[in-house]
Amino acid sequence: MNTENQIASNLALVKSSLRDAEVRAGKQAGSVTLVAIAKTQSIEAVQCLLGTGHKVFGENKVQEAIEKWQVLREQYEHIQLHMVGALQSNKSNLAVKCFDVIETLDRPSLARELSKHMDKQDRRPECLVQVNTGEEKQKAGILPKDADRFIKSCRLEFNLPVTGLMCIPPMAEEPSPHFVFLAQIAHRNGLKNLSMGMSSDYLVAARFGATHVRVGTAIFGKRRQDGET
Ligand SMILES: *Cc1c(COP(=O)(O)O)cnc(C)c1O
């Protein structure tokens, strides 16, 4: 199979296994949003998915997202682009311009900048608060003990459209307790969206209430610069 067919066939496989997991979890088939993580992938690789009608993508770097998606948005309608990487506050302006969903809202300084630029641009991408459920030192995300207060301040003080939470469980741990934990924080804060689950555990995440799964490798194959998260 050539690469193009391979990517489309990987997508079909991921979608059908996700559908099975949804049904087994008592949800409607197709109710979980599959965010295809396109970081490091070429425009050509991304076009294989766009060609099948897939619309929802994620990137982890602002600059890369702008370079790739300015072109692609001219060719394809109704694309929904998610920011899933660590966001520097000084790139808030560009992030508000480029993304439809910002999944990595994780600190007050970023909340302030995003709020400022949303007002200026009169454009309000949905925000998910990233929670560092494993309390890992090297990982982004608000600590669980600060989550309730932070979510409240994002909504009330900064007037941000926060609709849910996102997490990346520790590599070496069983992910399901982290998914349960994230769902609890969302529930007590009245948030409906849960972005959790990647190539290795998106079916588990679907079982534990994910509304969004972020899948890269299982669709595109191994990334060229792998080793990054
Ligand atoms: C790269 C990345 C993914 C996708 O990871 P895969 O294991 O390739 O599916 C998901 N979420 C985030 C935040 C990422 O950076």
Side-chain angles (χ1 to χ4, degrees):
M1 227 186 302
N2 63 27
T3 319
E4 196 168 314
N5 290 340
Q6 186 67 59
I7 291 173
S9 121
N10 290 345
L11 175 71
L13 217 63
V14 168
K15 276 165 85 168
S16 78
S17 58
L18 184 57
R19 237 176 271 132
D20 289 345
E22 289 164 341
V23 171
R24 262 182 276 123
K27 291 194 223 192
Q28 211 180 324
S31 56
V32 175
T33 302
L34 174 60
V35 184
I37 303 300
K39 64 186 184 196
T40 78
Q41 304 297 342
S42 66
I43 290 204
E44 291 71 25
V46 172
Q47 277 170 330
C48 299
L49 296 193
L50 287 162
T52 72
H54 193 79
K55 300 285 186 194
V56 188
F57 292 85
E59 291 283 354
N60 72 339
K61 294 203 168 81
V62 175
Q63 203 52 45
E64 180 183 343
I66 291 170
E67 282 162 25
K68 251 195 255 175
W69 290 95
Q70 246 168 15
V71 183
L72 289 167
R73 279 193 200 268
E74 284 167 16
Q75 298 167 6
Y76 298 88
E77 288 188 307
H78 308 303
I79 284 166
Q80 195 188 86
L81 196 57
H82 292 231
M83 174 55 168
V84 302
L87 183 54
Q88 291 168 258
S89 300
N90 63 7
K91 297 204 172 134
S92 296
N93 183 16
L94 294 171
V96 167
K97 211 172 276 171
C98 177
F99 292 101
D100 304 293
V101 181
I102 294 170
E103 297 203 12
T104 48
L105 171 56
D106 68 349
R107 58 193 191 278
S109 56
L110 180 59
R112 177 172 289 109
E113 284 302 298
L114 286 172
S115 173
K116 186 173 91 187
H117 291 290
M118 286 189 197
D119 287 346
K120 265 196 197 158
Q121 295 180 33
D122 195 19
R123 183 181 146 78
R124 313 195 80 74
E126 250 179 62
C127 296
L128 305 185
V129 167
Q130 181 178 357
V131 183
N132 186 355
T133 58
E135 304 190 27
E136 294 173 281
K137 290 227 159 48
Q138 80 285 7
K139 204 165 263 176
I142 193 94
L143 288 173
K145 69 174 171 54
D146 300 324
D148 292 354
R149 201 174 27 171
F150 180 61
I151 292 162
K152 198 169 170 193
S153 104
C154 286
R155 289 165 141 176
L156 299 180
E157 190 182 341
F158 298 115
N159 193 28
L160 291 170
V162 177
T163 64
L165 305 179
M166 178 271 220
C167 77
I168 309 171
M171 289 273 284
E173 286 181 33
E174 177 63 40
S176 52
H178 294 272
F179 297 157
V180 171
F181 188 35
L182 194 73
Q184 286 169 348
I185 301 171
H187 183 73
R188 69 172 182 250
N189 284 282
L191 293 168
K192 67 174 199 302
N193 289 327
L194 289 171
S195 171
M196 50 194 205
M198 311 181 11
S199 289
S200 58
D201 55 14
Y202 67 97
L203 297 175
V204 181
R207 179 143 45 95
F208 286 93
T211 60
H212 295 71
V213 291
R214 309 178 307 268
V215 180
T217 312
I219 296 173
F220 289 104
K222 225 169 130 51
R223 281 180 287 277
R224 278 163 301 176
Q225 305 126 263
D226 238 332
E228 62 180 335
T229 46

mmCIF file of all heavy atoms in Angstrom, residues 130-166:
data_model
loop_
_atom_site.group_PDB
_atom_site.id
_atom_site.type_symbol
_atom_site.label_atom_id
_atom_site.label_comp_id
_atom_site.label_asym_id
_atom_site.label_seq_id
_atom_site.Cartn_x
_atom_site.Cartn_y
_atom_site.Cartn_z
ATOM 1 N N GLN A 130 -5.705 22.297 30.951
ATOM 2 C CA GLN A 130 -4.856 21.111 31.068
ATOM 3 C C GLN A 130 -4.507 20.871 32.528
ATOM 4 O O GLN A 130 -4.018 21.769 33.218
ATOM 5 C CB GLN A 130 -3.568 21.290 30.242
ATOM 6 C CG GLN A 130 -2.672 20.054 30.313
ATOM 7 C CD GLN A 130 -1.414 20.180 29.455
ATOM 8 O OE1 GLN A 130 -1.220 21.180 28.749
ATOM 9 N NE2 GLN A 130 -0.553 19.179 29.518
ATOM 10 N N VAL A 131 -4.784 19.652 32.984
ATOM 11 C CA VAL A 131 -4.515 19.299 34.378
ATOM 12 C C VAL A 131 -3.376 18.278 34.413
ATOM 13 O O VAL A 131 -3.399 17.271 33.700
ATOM 14 C CB VAL A 131 -5.776 18.711 35.062
ATOM 15 C CG1 VAL A 131 -5.478 18.414 36.532
ATOM 16 C CG2 VAL A 131 -6.956 19.675 34.954
ATOM 17 N N ASN A 132 -2.396 18.537 35.244
ATOM 18 C CA ASN A 132 -1.239 17.647 35.408
ATOM 19 C C ASN A 132 -1.615 16.588 36.443
ATOM 20 O O ASN A 132 -1.201 16.642 37.600
ATOM 21 C CB ASN A 132 -0.041 18.491 35.846
ATOM 22 C CG ASN A 132 1.259 17.704 35.900
ATOM 23 O OD1 ASN A 132 1.289 16.495 35.708
ATOM 24 N ND2 ASN A 132 2.351 18.420 36.166
ATOM 25 N N THR A 133 -2.420 15.610 35.994
ATOM 26 C CA THR A 133 -3.012 14.655 36.936
ATOM 27 C C THR A 133 -1.966 13.802 37.644
ATOM 28 O O THR A 133 -2.194 13.348 38.763
ATOM 29 C CB THR A 133 -4.012 13.714 36.217
ATOM 30 O OG1 THR A 133 -3.309 13.042 35.176
ATOM 31 C CG2 THR A 133 -5.192 14.478 35.645
ATOM 32 N N GLY A 134 -0.825 13.588 36.991
ATOM 33 C CA GLY A 134 0.237 12.782 37.601
ATOM 34 C C GLY A 134 1.212 13.616 38.416
ATOM 35 O O GLY A 134 2.181 13.084 38.951
ATOM 36 N N GLU A 135 0.941 14.923 38.496
ATOM 37 C CA GLU A 135 1.818 15.861 39.222
ATOM 38 C C GLU A 135 3.281 15.655 38.848
ATOM 39 O O GLU A 135 4.164 15.611 39.700
ATOM 40 C CB GLU A 135 1.604 15.723 40.735
ATOM 41 C CG GLU A 135 0.135 15.929 41.097
ATOM 42 C CD GLU A 135 -0.120 16.044 42.591
ATOM 43 O OE1 GLU A 135 0.794 16.466 43.324
ATOM 44 O OE2 GLU A 135 -1.251 15.726 43.011
ATOM 45 N N GLU A 136 3.529 15.549 37.550
ATOM 46 C CA GLU A 136 4.900 15.369 37.062
ATOM 47 C C GLU A 136 5.585 16.724 36.925
ATOM 48 O O GLU A 136 5.027 17.648 36.346
ATOM 49 C CB GLU A 136 4.876 14.670 35.705
ATOM 50 C CG GLU A 136 4.360 13.244 35.753
ATOM 51 C CD GLU A 136 4.195 12.682 34.348
ATOM 52 O OE1 GLU A 136 3.192 12.997 33.693
ATOM 53 O OE2 GLU A 136 5.095 11.949 33.914
ATOM 54 N N LYS A 137 6.807 16.796 37.429
ATOM 55 C CA LYS A 137 7.550 18.059 37.444
ATOM 56 C C LYS A 137 7.760 18.636 36.047
ATOM 57 O O LYS A 137 7.650 19.834 35.826
ATOM 58 C CB LYS A 137 8.911 17.854 38.112
ATOM 59 C CG LYS A 137 8.817 17.622 39.599
ATOM 60 C CD LYS A 137 9.828 18.503 40.358
ATOM 61 C CE LYS A 137 9.417 18.689 41.815
ATOM 62 N NZ LYS A 137 9.045 17.398 42.475
ATOM 63 N N GLN A 138 8.100 17.741 35.094
ATOM 64 C CA GLN A 138 8.461 18.220 33.751
ATOM 65 C C GLN A 138 7.235 18.494 32.885
ATOM 66 O O GLN A 138 7.371 18.993 31.777
ATOM 67 C CB GLN A 138 9.392 17.215 33.061
ATOM 68 C CG GLN A 138 8.713 15.988 32.432
ATOM 69 C CD GLN A 138 8.244 14.942 33.453
ATOM 70 O OE1 GLN A 138 8.296 15.167 34.662
ATOM 71 N NE2 GLN A 138 7.759 13.822 32.972
ATOM 72 N N LYS A 139 6.072 18.183 33.371
ATOM 73 C CA LYS A 139 4.892 18.272 32.513
ATOM 74 C C LYS A 139 4.082 19.535 32.788
ATOM 75 O O LYS A 139 3.975 19.985 33.922
ATOM 76 C CB LYS A 139 4.026 17.038 32.707
ATOM 77 C CG LYS A 139 3.132 16.745 31.503
ATOM 78 C CD LYS A 139 2.557 15.358 31.558
ATOM 79 C CE LYS A 139 3.378 14.377 30.717
ATOM 80 N NZ LYS A 139 2.878 13.004 30.841
ATOM 81 N N ALA A 140 3.508 20.071 31.710
ATOM 82 C CA ALA A 140 2.650 21.243 31.846
ATOM 83 C C ALA A 140 1.323 20.830 32.473
ATOM 84 O O ALA A 140 1.034 19.657 32.646
ATOM 85 C CB ALA A 140 2.415 21.858 30.473
ATOM 86 N N GLY A 141 0.526 21.825 32.812
ATOM 87 C CA GLY A 141 -0.793 21.548 33.376
ATOM 88 C C GLY A 141 -0.885 22.102 34.786
ATOM 89 O O GLY A 141 0.085 22.122 35.528
ATOM 90 N N ILE A 142 -2.078 22.512 35.143
ATOM 91 C CA ILE A 142 -2.315 23.005 36.499
ATOM 92 C C ILE A 142 -2.343 21.800 37.444
ATOM 93 O O ILE A 142 -2.782 20.721 37.055
ATOM 94 C CB ILE A 142 -3.648 23.806 36.539
ATOM 95 C CG1 ILE A 142 -3.800 24.617 37.819
ATOM 96 C CG2 ILE A 142 -4.871 22.911 36.344
ATOM 97 C CD1 ILE A 142 -3.336 26.018 37.726
ATOM 98 N N LEU A 143 -1.846 21.981 38.650
ATOM 99 C CA LEU A 143 -1.887 20.871 39.605
ATOM 100 C C LEU A 143 -3.336 20.625 40.031
ATOM 101 O O LEU A 143 -4.118 21.575 40.145
ATOM 102 C CB LEU A 143 -1.025 21.192 40.824
ATOM 103 C CG LEU A 143 0.487 21.148 40.574
ATOM 104 C CD1 LEU A 143 1.249 21.650 41.802
ATOM 105 C CD2 LEU A 143 0.940 19.748 40.176
ATOM 106 N N PRO A 144 -3.679 19.368 40.290
ATOM 107 C CA PRO A 144 -5.077 19.053 40.655
ATOM 108 C C PRO A 144 -5.599 19.893 41.810
ATOM 109 O O PRO A 144 -6.757 20.323 41.804
ATOM 110 C CB PRO A 144 -5.017 17.574 41.030
ATOM 111 C CG PRO A 144 -3.884 17.033 40.227
ATOM 112 C CD PRO A 144 -2.871 18.138 40.149
ATOM 113 N N LYS A 145 -4.755 20.145 42.808
ATOM 114 C CA LYS A 145 -5.237 20.887 43.979
ATOM 115 C C LYS A 145 -5.577 22.343 43.642
ATOM 116 O O LYS A 145 -6.330 22.987 44.347
ATOM 117 C CB LYS A 145 -4.213 20.830 45.120
ATOM 118 C CG LYS A 145 -2.930 21.599 44.870
ATOM 119 C CD LYS A 145 -2.043 21.610 46.119
ATOM 120 C CE LYS A 145 -0.657 22.178 45.866
ATOM 121 N NZ LYS A 145 -0.586 23.506 45.256
ATOM 122 N N ASP A 146 -5.024 22.858 42.543
ATOM 123 C CA ASP A 146 -5.305 24.242 42.150
ATOM 124 C C ASP A 146 -6.357 24.344 41.049
ATOM 125 O O ASP A 146 -6.696 25.449 40.613
ATOM 126 C CB ASP A 146 -4.014 24.908 41.641
ATOM 127 C CG ASP A 146 -2.930 24.937 42.706
ATOM 128 O OD1 ASP A 146 -3.281 25.114 43.896
ATOM 129 O OD2 ASP A 146 -1.748 24.777 42.359
ATOM 130 N N ALA A 147 -6.830 23.195 40.599
ATOM 131 C CA ALA A 147 -7.675 23.190 39.388
ATOM 132 C C ALA A 147 -9.000 23.935 39.579
ATOM 133 O O ALA A 147 -9.365 24.779 38.757
ATOM 134 C CB ALA A 147 -7.939 21.755 38.932
ATOM 135 N N ASP A 148 -9.714 23.645 40.663
ATOM 136 C CA ASP A 148 -11.034 24.269 40.838
ATOM 137 C C ASP A 148 -10.937 25.803 40.842
ATOM 138 O O ASP A 148 -11.702 26.489 40.173
ATOM 139 C CB ASP A 148 -11.690 23.807 42.149
ATOM 140 C CG ASP A 148 -12.062 22.332 42.122
ATOM 141 O OD1 ASP A 148 -11.920 21.693 41.055
ATOM 142 O OD2 ASP A 148 -12.480 21.798 43.168
ATOM 143 N N ARG A 149 -9.953 26.280 41.615
ATOM 144 C CA ARG A 149 -9.795 27.725 41.721
ATOM 145 C C ARG A 149 -9.403 28.342 40.370
ATOM 146 O O ARG A 149 -9.889 29.395 39.975
ATOM 147 C CB ARG A 149 -8.732 28.039 42.773
ATOM 148 C CG ARG A 149 -8.823 29.448 43.332
ATOM 149 C CD ARG A 149 -7.844 29.635 44.462
ATOM 150 N NE ARG A 149 -6.732 28.688 44.243
ATOM 151 C CZ ARG A 149 -5.608 28.670 44.928
ATOM 152 N NH1 ARG A 149 -5.415 29.519 45.897
ATOM 153 N NH2 ARG A 149 -4.661 27.804 44.667
ATOM 154 N N PHE A 150 -8.518 27.652 39.673
ATOM 155 C CA PHE A 150 -8.058 28.168 38.373
ATOM 156 C C PHE A 150 -9.203 28.191 37.354
ATOM 157 O O PHE A 150 -9.378 29.173 36.619
ATOM 158 C CB PHE A 150 -6.890 27.322 37.857
ATOM 159 C CG PHE A 150 -6.354 27.781 36.524
ATOM 160 C CD1 PHE A 150 -5.829 29.061 36.373
ATOM 161 C CD2 PHE A 150 -6.386 26.943 35.414
ATOM 162 C CE1 PHE A 150 -5.350 29.497 35.137
ATOM 163 C CE2 PHE A 150 -5.911 27.363 34.185
ATOM 164 C CZ PHE A 150 -5.389 28.641 34.050
ATOM 165 N N ILE A 151 -9.967 27.124 37.304
ATOM 166 C CA ILE A 151 -11.095 27.056 36.358
ATOM 167 C C ILE A 151 -12.065 28.214 36.628
ATOM 168 O O ILE A 151 -12.521 28.904 35.713
ATOM 169 C CB ILE A 151 -11.830 25.699 36.486
ATOM 170 C CG1 ILE A 151 -10.930 24.562 35.991
ATOM 171 C CG2 ILE A 151 -13.146 25.714 35.724
ATOM 172 C CD1 ILE A 151 -11.359 23.173 36.453
ATOM 173 N N LYS A 152 -12.329 28.422 37.906
ATOM 174 C CA LYS A 152 -13.243 29.496 38.296
ATOM 175 C C LYS A 152 -12.703 30.861 37.842
ATOM 176 O O LYS A 152 -13.443 31.681 37.296
ATOM 177 C CB LYS A 152 -13.416 29.473 39.818
ATOM 178 C CG LYS A 152 -14.617 30.209 40.302
ATOM 179 C CD LYS A 152 -14.880 29.909 41.775
ATOM 180 C CE LYS A 152 -15.948 30.847 42.294
ATOM 181 N NZ LYS A 152 -16.016 30.814 43.768
ATOM 182 N N SER A 153 -11.421 31.070 38.045
ATOM 183 C CA SER A 153 -10.876 32.378 37.684
ATOM 184 C C SER A 153 -10.811 32.547 36.165
ATOM 185 O O SER A 153 -11.002 33.646 35.640
ATOM 186 C CB SER A 153 -9.520 32.620 38.364
ATOM 187 O OG SER A 153 -8.464 32.454 37.460
ATOM 188 N N CYS A 154 -10.560 31.467 35.428
ATOM 189 C CA CYS A 154 -10.589 31.557 33.958
ATOM 190 C C CYS A 154 -11.963 32.012 33.476
ATOM 191 O O CYS A 154 -12.080 32.810 32.542
ATOM 192 C CB CYS A 154 -10.269 30.208 33.316
ATOM 193 S SG CYS A 154 -8.539 29.771 33.419
ATOM 194 N N ARG A 155 -12.977 31.497 34.138
ATOM 195 C CA ARG A 155 -14.334 31.838 33.708
ATOM 196 C C ARG A 155 -14.751 33.226 34.186
ATOM 197 O O ARG A 155 -15.242 34.031 33.388
ATOM 198 C CB ARG A 155 -15.317 30.815 34.266
ATOM 199 C CG ARG A 155 -15.209 29.464 33.603
ATOM 200 C CD ARG A 155 -15.923 28.442 34.436
ATOM 201 N NE ARG A 155 -16.660 27.474 33.635
ATOM 202 C CZ ARG A 155 -17.297 26.431 34.151
ATOM 203 N NH1 ARG A 155 -17.323 26.251 35.464
ATOM 204 N NH2 ARG A 155 -17.926 25.591 33.379
ATOM 205 N N LEU A 156 -14.561 33.484 35.470
ATOM 206 C CA LEU A 156 -15.123 34.713 36.043
ATOM 207 C C LEU A 156 -14.215 35.917 35.848
ATOM 208 O O LEU A 156 -14.649 36.980 35.427
ATOM 209 C CB LEU A 156 -15.423 34.514 37.529
ATOM 210 C CG LEU A 156 -16.438 33.404 37.824
ATOM 211 C CD1 LEU A 156 -16.673 33.262 39.319
ATOM 212 C CD2 LEU A 156 -17.751 33.645 37.074
ATOM 213 N N GLU A 157 -12.933 35.729 36.156
ATOM 214 C CA GLU A 157 -12.011 36.858 36.084
ATOM 215 C C GLU A 157 -11.616 37.167 34.644
ATOM 216 O O GLU A 157 -11.562 38.313 34.221
ATOM 217 C CB GLU A 157 -10.780 36.525 36.928
ATOM 218 C CG GLU A 157 -9.831 37.675 37.146
ATOM 219 C CD GLU A 157 -8.621 37.215 37.965
ATOM 220 O OE1 GLU A 157 -8.702 36.155 38.632
ATOM 221 O OE2 GLU A 157 -7.603 37.913 37.923
ATOM 222 N N PHE A 158 -11.346 36.086 33.864
ATOM 223 C CA PHE A 158 -10.827 36.293 32.510
ATOM 224 C C PHE A 158 -11.870 36.078 31.415
ATOM 225 O O PHE A 158 -11.585 36.277 30.244
ATOM 226 C CB PHE A 158 -9.613 35.391 32.280
ATOM 227 C CG PHE A 158 -8.476 35.698 33.196
ATOM 228 C CD1 PHE A 158 -8.052 34.778 34.141
ATOM 229 C CD2 PHE A 158 -7.830 36.934 33.142
ATOM 230 C CE1 PHE A 158 -7.001 35.061 34.997
ATOM 231 C CE2 PHE A 158 -6.776 37.232 33.993
ATOM 232 C CZ PHE A 158 -6.369 36.292 34.933
ATOM 233 N N ASN A 159 -13.048 35.650 31.827
ATOM 234 C CA ASN A 159 -14.147 35.511 30.864
ATOM 235 C C ASN A 159 -13.794 34.618 29.666
ATOM 236 O O ASN A 159 -14.158 34.905 28.525
ATOM 237 C CB ASN A 159 -14.575 36.915 30.392
ATOM 238 C CG ASN A 159 -15.892 36.880 29.646
ATOM 239 O OD1 ASN A 159 -16.719 36.007 29.899
ATOM 240 N ND2 ASN A 159 -16.070 37.794 28.704
ATOM 241 N N LEU A 160 -13.055 33.546 29.943
ATOM 242 C CA LEU A 160 -12.647 32.650 28.861
ATOM 243 C C LEU A 160 -13.708 31.555 28.659
ATOM 244 O O LEU A 160 -14.301 31.077 29.621
ATOM 245 C CB LEU A 160 -11.304 31.995 29.201
ATOM 246 C CG LEU A 160 -10.092 32.929 29.193
ATOM 247 C CD1 LEU A 160 -8.870 32.222 29.782
ATOM 248 C CD2 LEU A 160 -9.795 33.433 27.788
ATOM 249 N N PRO A 161 -13.934 31.158 27.410
ATOM 250 C CA PRO A 161 -14.915 30.107 27.133
ATOM 251 C C PRO A 161 -14.349 28.715 27.451
ATOM 252 O O PRO A 161 -14.005 27.948 26.557
ATOM 253 C CB PRO A 161 -15.210 30.261 25.632
ATOM 254 C CG PRO A 161 -14.018 30.953 25.072
ATOM 255 C CD PRO A 161 -13.365 31.724 26.172
ATOM 256 N N VAL A 162 -14.252 28.398 28.728
ATOM 257 C CA VAL A 162 -13.729 27.100 29.156
ATOM 258 C C VAL A 162 -14.846 26.067 29.061
ATOM 259 O O VAL A 162 -15.893 26.229 29.676
ATOM 260 C CB VAL A 162 -13.202 27.155 30.606
ATOM 261 C CG1 VAL A 162 -12.723 25.775 31.059
ATOM 262 C CG2 VAL A 162 -12.074 28.165 30.728
ATOM 263 N N THR A 163 -14.606 25.014 28.282
ATOM 264 C CA THR A 163 -15.656 24.003 28.092
ATOM 265 C C THR A 163 -15.258 22.627 28.622
ATOM 266 O O THR A 163 -16.064 21.706 28.587
ATOM 267 C CB THR A 163 -16.008 23.832 26.604
ATOM 268 O OG1 THR A 163 -14.852 23.335 25.917
ATOM 269 C CG2 THR A 163 -16.443 25.140 25.974
ATOM 270 N N GLY A 164 -13.999 22.480 29.063
ATOM 271 C CA GLY A 164 -13.601 21.156 29.524
ATOM 272 C C GLY A 164 -12.160 21.098 29.989
ATOM 273 O O GLY A 164 -11.516 22.134 30.182
ATOM 274 N N LEU A 165 -11.689 19.863 30.142
ATOM 275 C CA LEU A 165 -10.351 19.604 30.675
ATOM 276 C C LEU A 165 -9.573 18.666 29.752
ATOM 277 O O LEU A 165 -10.154 17.910 28.977
ATOM 278 C CB LEU A 165 -10.448 18.940 32.057
ATOM 279 C CG LEU A 165 -11.261 19.652 33.132
ATOM 280 C CD1 LEU A 165 -11.263 18.822 34.413
ATOM 281 C CD2 LEU A 165 -10.716 21.046 33.409
ATOM 282 N N MET A 166 -8.262 18.719 29.888
ATOM 283 C CA MET A 166 -7.383 17.861 29.099
ATOM 284 C C MET A 166 -6.311 17.309 30.019
ATOM 285 O O MET A 166 -5.909 17.994 30.975
ATOM 286 C CB MET A 166 -6.764 18.720 27.990
ATOM 287 C CG MET A 166 -5.786 18.012 27.092
ATOM 288 S SD MET A 166 -4.092 18.057 27.675
ATOM 289 C CE MET A 166 -3.232 18.313 26.125
#
